[in-house]
Amino acid sequence: MSPQELAEACAALMWNDDSASQRLGMKLLHIAPGEATLEMTITDQMTNGHGNAHGGYMFTLADSAFAFACNTYNQMTVAQHCSVTYIAPGALGDVLIATAREVSRSGRSGIYDVTVMRQDGQRIAEFRGHSRTINRTFLPMDKETA
């Protein structure tokens, strides 16, 4: 199995059990080893008292992109630490696109950066996630997936 095929297989298995991302209307647009892109449309239920996209929903989108990016190697991986910086507001009806990329991966630890953009290309948030692998895999380990 190629690294791309492995990334796609892991993402498919993860997506099937990810009711949070699915119920928020997220779509998985791209997956590759150490990379993921997801999008989500801001609905009325996702706005705050200022009429903007609630930061928690933007964080959730970035966190989901982070999760898919760091789980592309057949090693189940969880968040160890995450932070977000909000740059500009999102609004009702905006389509937000979160693009995650691997910065570093060594041993059981990884660092991933996620940029959240509006559909017009405006950067609205930067997220950094630190990951840690756990002792589980998505697919049985054999010479094809090792």
Side-chain angles (χ1 to χ4, degrees), residues 1-9 33 72 139 143-146:
M1 184 177 290
S2 74
Q4 180 62 33
E5 290 168 331
L6 183 60
E8 290 171 4
T72 55
L139 304 166
K143 59 184 163 192
E144 289 281 317
T145 56

Side-chain angles (χ1 to χ4, degrees), residues 54-115:
H54 190 288
Y57 288 102
M58 293 192 295
F59 183 96
T60 301
L61 173 63
D63 186 47
S64 288
F66 162 53
F68 278 93
C70 66
N71 277 282
T72 55
Y73 301 104
N74 199 34
Q75 286 290 300
M76 287 192 182
T77 305
V78 296
Q80 184 177 42
H81 170 77
C82 303
S83 64
V84 66
T85 300
Y86 300 107
I87 300 166
L92 177 64
D94 279 350
V95 177
L96 304 184
I97 301 108
T99 302
R101 68 174 181 77
E102 185 176 278
V103 174
S104 170
R105 185 170 154 259
S106 179
R108 295 180 52 215
S109 298
I111 299 173
Y112 294 78
D113 283 342
V114 183
T115 299

